[in-house]
Amino acid sequence: MRATTVSVVPIAPIIANRCNRCMNSRWGRVLVGALAAVGMAEVLRYSRTRRRTPITPPPLARPPASVTDLQPVTPPPQTPGRWRRPALALIYLGTLTACAVAAFTAVAPDDVLRRFGLASAPDWARWTLAGLALSGVVALGLAVLLGPAARRLAGERQPLTDEERRQLSVTDRLEAVNATRQTLLQSATGLVVIGGVVFTALSLWYTARTLDTTQQGQVTDRYTKAIDQLGNRQSLDVRLGGIYALERLATDSPRDHRTIYDVLAAFTREHDPAPKTKTTGPPATDIQAALTVIGRRSTHDATIDLATLRAPKANLTRADLARADLARADLTGANLTYASLTGASLTGAYMNSANLFGANLISANLISANLDSANLTLAYMNGANLNDARLAYAYMNSANLTGANLTGANLTHVNLPGAILVNADLTGLAILAGSNLAGANLAGANLGADLNNPRIVFTPNRAHASWEQGADLANVDLTRANLTRANLTRVNLTYANLTRADLTGANLTYANLTRADLTGADLTGAILSGVRGLTEIEIKAVAKTDATTQF
């Protein structure tokens, strides 16, 4: 076996390098200045205390009269050294500063260290500095607790003088020594316990980091292998394995979720049939598998780019394509039953003859989309933008189009029985000729022209105002339809069936009612000014009117 050489770098040069860099940096000079100021303040405070404390001179010894008069001369009480407290304060501050610098060097990222003029250290050096910093802080804490804090809790502000110590008996001294030994033993035990806990915690943290690094390495290896499988052009089975391996990887590694699905989306776009290729069947097996995996994604943190995808007759049942970009995609005859397309971009998409039964198209962008003969039964299209969309011969039974924009949409022969078009916008020459709207709810829908904003037409001789026409509802079946307060200004209702339709408060100004069937229609409060095709007498003879109906 080959011998492995392990280079051991001493910790002392690294610590010296840290201290040297700290002293040369701006923050190091500020810290040293602050320590010096604190030390000088402590020295001055102690010097003033010494001046205010009167020193009683020892009594003059007189010669004894006899031997029996000899008494032991008690030496004067000795006070602590002048510099002991300032020195202890400086030691405390210096140790605490060194611990702070060591902890900062051990924990701070490399970019932060470089900002302060410090070089990065290897992991073992960081661990050593962290242990030293923690040990120093624990030692300082125990020294403070066993020294000044203990005396203050006992009611003593100053340590015992020599005179007070001499007044202690032998038993008291032994008890004091034993108590000190017990205290030191307990302190040492506490240090060992604390050190063990800290070491265990740091070991667990290091193990977690190592495990995370190992897992990331495994994820990278799995990703690379799956990409290699996906790019295999010889074997379909290998490509399928790569697709499902990427799906599993996206589940195991959420941070790579977006990248993986971007790769799958790019795979479907690049391997779908060319635009000029005629396709009669469903997409290739690997393309269908990739689309199925994309449709099973669990998060929507980013938009899936499937623009210009060509996947006619693809099976996307219950696929989750919310917020997906499907602009100009070819999904002719695709099965999108109960699919989620909330907020999706389907601008110019080809979805004719597609099955969108129960699909969720809330707030979807369907501008200029081709939905001819599509099945939109029970579809949710609340707030969808269908401007200039093609919906000829589409099945929209009981579809919800509340607040949808159908401006300029082609709804020729569309089936809308039981559909909900509350507050829908059908202006701009929307074509509904021959459509079935029996039982549809069009309350508040806007199907008329805007008479308040005429379009000015300029001719060689003069300029005149021109109002655009409303929706084309010729031959539309609106039996029992709810058109309460609907705007039907200039709408073409030639041969329309409005039997028992609710037109309460509807605006039919300048509407074309030629041969329209208003039998049993409720025109209470409706505005019929300037209507064409039917006279007031003919309307009152078959429809329900009252004094609020305006002719």
Side-chain angles (χ1 to χ4, degrees):
M1 295 177 63
R2 182 181 297 176
T4 303
T5 304
V6 180
S7 59
V8 180
V9 182
I11 189 64
I14 293 179
I15 297 177
N17 182 25
R18 290 287 184 275
C19 296
N20 186 23
R21 288 181 176 273
C22 288
M23 292 297 295
N24 293 331
S25 63
R26 181 180 63 181
W27 293 101
R29 290 192 293 270
V30 171
L31 185 60
V32 171
L35 290 175
V38 172
M40 292 299 297
E42 184 68 20
V43 170
L44 292 176
R45 187 182 68 82
Y46 185 73
S47 300
R48 292 174 183 172
T49 305
R50 290 280 297 171
R51 292 195 197 99
R52 290 194 294 267
T53 305
I55 301 176
T56 305
L60 297 175
R62 59 181 179 178
S66 61
V67 179
T68 58
D69 294 336
L70 292 175
Q71 300 290 337
V73 179
T74 302
Q78 298 179 1
T79 58
R82 168 179 289 187
W83 304 103
R84 190 176 72 177
R85 290 186 63 187
L88 289 175
L90 288 177
I91 290 174
Y92 283 154
L93 290 174
T95 306
L96 189 60
T97 303
C99 293
V101 173
F104 176 76
T105 306
V107 177
D110 293 340
D111 54 346
V112 177
L113 291 176
R114 286 192 295 269
R115 191 182 306 169
F116 286 91
L118 302 174
S120 60
D123 290 340
W124 67 267
R126 289 177 178 267
W127 280 94
T128 305
L129 290 173
L132 291 175
L134 188 59
S135 301
V137 171
V138 172
L140 286 178
L142 289 175
V144 171
L145 290 176
L146 296 176
R151 286 197 299 270
R152 287 185 175 274
L153 291 174
E156 296 182 2
R157 302 298 181 183
Q158 298 294 335
L160 296 177
T161 62
D162 294 340
E163 178 64 24
E164 293 171 342
R165 291 192 183 94
R166 278 192 295 272
Q167 293 177 0
L168 296 175
S169 63
V170 177
T171 304
D172 294 336
R173 291 185 180 183
L174 289 176
E175 290 179 354
V177 171
N178 291 331
T180 303
R181 288 174 179 173
Q182 292 179 0
T183 304
L184 291 176
L185 183 60
Q186 292 174 358
S187 301
T189 305
L191 282 175
V192 172
V193 173
I194 294 173
V197 172
V198 171
F199 180 78
T200 304
L202 292 177
S203 299
L204 291 175
W205 177 68
Y206 184 76
T207 304
R209 287 190 58 185
T210 305
L211 180 61
D212 182 69
T213 303
T214 304
Q215 288 178 347
Q216 290 305 312
Q218 293 176 353
V219 166
T220 303
D221 294 340
R222 291 168 58 189
Y223 178 78
T224 304
K225 185 177 179 180
I227 293 298
D228 291 340
Q229 293 177 335
L230 193 65
N232 190 309
R233 294 183 178 274
Q234 285 74 30
S235 176
L236 173 63
D237 296 336
V238 174
R239 291 197 299 274
L240 291 176
I243 291 170
Y244 294 118
L246 287 174
E247 181 184 21
R248 176 63 182 271
L249 189 58
T251 304
D252 296 341
S253 179
R255 71 176 65 182
D256 299 315
H257 186 277
R258 179 173 180 177
T259 303
I260 290 170
Y261 283 103
D262 285 344
V263 169
L264 290 174
F267 175 79
T268 57
R269 294 195 311 271
E270 296 299 325
H271 293 79
D272 61 355
K276 295 182 180 180
T277 303
K278 292 183 178 180
T279 57
T280 57
T285 305
D286 51 355
I287 300 297
Q288 178 63 63
L291 290 174
T292 302
V293 170
I294 291 173
R296 287 201 294 250
R297 62 195 179 111
S298 57
T299 59
H300 310 93
D301 52 349
T303 300
I304 294 294
D305 186 7
L306 294 171
T308 68
L309 171 70
R310 299 189 75 243
K313 298 183 179 180
N315 184 7
L316 294 168
T317 303
R318 298 184 183 275
D320 190 351
L321 296 171
R323 297 178 55 196
D325 185 4
L326 288 159
R328 300 180 305 281
D330 187 358
L331 294 170
T332 303
N335 186 1
L336 289 155
T337 304
Y338 294 111
S340 176
L341 292 160
T342 305
S345 176
L346 291 156
T347 305
Y350 295 92
M351 303 176 72
N352 40 306
S353 301
N355 186 4
L356 289 154
F357 183 92
N360 188 346
L361 290 158
I362 296 175
S363 301
N365 187 359
L366 290 154
I367 297 175
S368 300
N370 188 344
L371 290 161
D372 289 343
S373 301
N375 182 9
L376 288 158
T377 304
L378 294 175
Y380 295 91
M381 306 178 74
N382 310 55
N385 190 354
L386 289 153
N387 188 8
D388 293 327
R390 293 179 54 87
L391 291 157
Y393 296 96
Y395 295 90
M396 304 180 73
N397 305 45
S398 302
N400 192 339
L401 290 153
T402 303
N405 181 10
L406 290 155
T407 304
N410 186 351
L411 296 163
T412 305
H413 295 288
V414 69
N415 290 304
L416 281 160
I420 303 173
L421 291 106
V422 178
N423 296 324
D425 188 356
L426 286 151
T427 59
L429 294 175
I431 304 171
L432 292 99
S435 300
N436 181 8
L437 288 158
N441 187 354
L442 289 153
N446 185 8
L447 296 101
D450 188 359
L451 297 181
N452 296 320
N453 295 298
R455 179 167 53 91
I456 305 301
V457 179
F458 294 92
T459 59
N461 298 326
R462 62 186 181 88
H464 64 277
S466 174
W467 287 269
E468 60 182 17
Q469 295 295 319
D472 186 359
L473 297 174
N475 295 308
V476 173
D477 185 3
L478 289 162
T479 304
R480 298 180 182 272
N482 184 358
L483 291 158
T484 305
R485 294 185 300 278
N487 180 12
L488 297 166
T489 305
R490 288 185 175 271
V491 169
N492 182 12
L493 290 163
T494 305
Y495 291 99
N497 186 359
L498 289 159
T499 303
R500 296 188 179 181
D502 189 355
L503 291 157
T504 304
N507 187 357
L508 289 154
T509 304
Y510 297 118
N512 188 353
L513 297 174
T514 304
R515 299 297 180 92
D517 189 355
L518 292 168
T519 304
D522 190 351
L523 293 169
T524 304
I527 303 175
L528 296 163
S529 302
V531 293
R532 294 172 294 164
L534 291 176
T535 63
E536 179 179 350
I537 297 174
E538 291 174 338
I539 293 174
K540 287 182 177 181
V542 295
K544 178 183 176 181
T545 60
D546 62 0
T548 60
T549 305
Q550 302 178 27
F551 288 93

